[in-house]
Amino acid sequence: MNIALIDADSSRFPNLALMKLAAWHKAAGDSVEWHQPKKHYDRAYVSKIFTESPAYAAPILADEVVKGGTGYCLHNCLPDTIENQYPDYSLYPQYNEAYGFLTRGCPRACPFCIVTEKEGRASRQVGDLDGFYRGQKAIKLLDPNLLACRDRERLLLQLFANGARVDFTQGLDIRLCRDVMCLLNAIKIKMLHFAWDNPKEDLTGHFQLFAEKSVEQNPRKLRVYVLVNYWSTHAEDIWRIKTLVRLGFDPYVMLYDKHKFVDARGRWLPGVRENHTLDALWHFKLCQHLQRWCNHKAIFRSVGFEKYMSGKRGFEDVV
């Protein structure tokens, strides 16, 4: 068979499903390549991870077109024989890290998150490290909540034993770190990600305890996602950011539903005034400025938000 692969997210991040599909088809003797618009294929796979990614525009000449990924549907999953396939990393030669999951699912069921609907309300082991790692110097772990898995200690020991630098990309649950601090301290850390999504839940004590027990004291390796434009006020956003900085963490603002307000360049979408109230637009614009200020670290470390905003024009463009 002649197989075409289409990464609808434009390779902003390696597409793990496509890498596994490529490996499986190559093992079966099929020809696999990135899609060429004028070429005919027996089958084309289109994968889209992010809902805000635009639809693939080029014509697809194929007897069969298979679309998958959370950008299309939450329930179109790979068969187990392909899901357990070692990825074909040659698809993305610009990246030299291992990518994969040790666990799936999360018990938190946050209303803004798709993980529970897609993977279930329990963190469970779905594989071992050798399923996607073979000696690379770094690992990007994609698990939604590894520490909620009952096998977490054994999985953390696997990460420790291989000696690679680990990036917990999707966020460790700060509320579950207490009992595994020794293991976390033993692992070579490239980046630790956490999240403080709900300001109504005061996580100050948990972050304080981690700061006291962790051997990693570099804030640039201790990043915390801070959700805004969902259920928090501006004062609550500022409070979380300032608290995290005080405790030695690096806040990173995540702007909810950004693609419903502005385009990729940050400009209002056509008809946005008809789809949202004026209060919602004003709050979004404030959150957008907060994101730009906080996530631009050179600015963030040099000026406070009030001073940053003093150089901005008013919000006339909201209306």
Side-chain angles (χ1 to χ4, degrees):
M1 295 179 66
N2 293 321
I3 304 297
L5 304 177
I6 300 171
D7 185 343
D9 300 299
S10 300
S11 301
R12 288 189 292 167
F13 195 87
N15 189 299
L16 189 58
L18 291 180
M19 288 194 287
K20 292 181 177 182
L21 284 164
W24 187 81
H25 275 286
K26 288 180 180 180
D30 297 329
S31 173
V32 181
E33 66 179 14
W34 291 114
H35 176 244
Q36 304 297 321
K38 295 182 180 181
K39 188 172 179 179
H40 183 273
Y41 297 91
D42 297 308
R43 184 183 298 165
Y45 293 101
V46 188
S47 180
K48 186 167 74 164
I49 299 173
F50 304 104
T51 55
E52 64 269 23
S53 296
Y56 186 70
I60 304 173
L61 304 177
D63 295 337
E64 182 183 7
V65 177
V66 180
K67 295 183 178 181
T70 53
Y72 287 121
C73 173
L74 299 183
H75 306 294
N76 187 10
C77 302
L78 295 175
D80 288 343
T81 53
I82 301 178
E83 183 64 53
N84 296 325
Q85 181 77 44
Y86 185 80
D88 179 4
Y89 289 106
S90 69
L91 291 183
Y92 298 92
Q94 66 271 40
Y95 301 104
N96 57 5
E97 299 164 309
Y99 295 81
F101 293 85
L102 294 174
T103 65
R104 297 271 194 171
C106 178
R108 296 296 179 184
C110 299
F112 53 84
C113 181
I114 65 173
V115 169
T116 298
E117 182 181 356
K118 179 184 177 184
E119 302 178 2
R121 195 169 180 174
S123 178
R124 66 194 187 284
Q125 182 180 357
V126 295
D128 290 303
L129 189 58
D130 59 7
F132 61 90
Y133 169 80
R134 292 181 185 170
Q136 293 92 333
K137 293 183 178 180
I139 297 170
K140 282 191 176 293
L141 205 60
L142 309 178
D143 299 45
N145 197 338
L146 183 148
L147 297 188
C149 179
R150 63 181 182 181
D151 300 308
R152 61 182 183 171
E153 292 188 7
R154 183 168 57 81
L155 296 175
L156 289 174
L157 281 171
Q158 289 185 24
L159 294 170
F160 161 71
N162 75 81
R165 302 183 71 82
V166 182
D167 182 350
F168 294 89
T169 64
Q170 301 305 301
L172 291 172
D173 193 331
I174 193 68
R175 293 157 289 197
L176 301 176
C177 288
R178 178 193 297 266
D179 296 333
V180 292
M181 281 303 304
C182 289
L183 285 171
L184 290 175
N185 283 332
I187 295 170
K188 290 183 180 179
I189 298 299
K190 183 174 182 180
M191 180 74 77
L192 283 168
H193 289 88
F194 304 94
W196 191 351
D197 297 316
N198 188 354
K200 306 301 188 294
E201 184 175 7
D202 189 352
L203 301 180
T204 304
H206 295 285
F207 282 108
Q208 177 70 54
L209 178 65
F210 186 93
E212 293 172 354
K213 301 294 184 180
S214 176
V215 297
E216 180 57 70
Q217 297 295 315
N218 184 353
R220 300 186 184 189
K221 294 185 178 182
L222 301 174
R223 177 158 292 174
V224 183
Y225 300 126
V226 178
L227 179 69
V228 303
N229 196 47
Y230 185 75
W231 51 15
S232 61
T233 66
H234 177 64
E236 290 171 330
D237 297 339
I238 291 292
W239 169 68
R240 282 180 292 166
I241 290 172
K242 288 186 175 180
T243 300
L244 290 168
V245 171
R246 176 174 59 82
L247 296 176
F249 294 84
D250 179 26
Y252 189 88
V253 169
M254 303 293 287
L255 184 52
Y256 185 74
D257 268 354
K258 185 175 182 177
H259 65 285
K260 294 183 179 180
F261 291 86
V262 295
D263 62 19
R265 299 180 63 181
R267 301 170 300 187
W268 292 115
L269 294 174
V272 70
R273 181 65 180 89
E274 289 73 33
N275 297 326
H276 302 278
T277 67
L278 186 58
D279 284 344
L281 294 176
W282 274 70
H283 183 69
F284 172 82
K285 178 60 71 171
L286 189 61
C287 290
Q288 187 181 36
H289 281 300
L290 185 71
Q291 183 187 49
R292 290 171 175 172
W293 165 72
C294 183
N295 297 356
H296 193 304
K297 296 308 177 182
I299 297 175
F300 180 65
R301 297 186 182 101
S302 60
V303 299
F305 185 65
E306 290 185 3
K307 185 176 181 180
Y308 171 81
M309 289 299 295
S310 66
K312 303 296 179 184
R313 297 190 314 168
F315 290 175
E316 296 87 354
D317 62 338
V318 169
V319 295

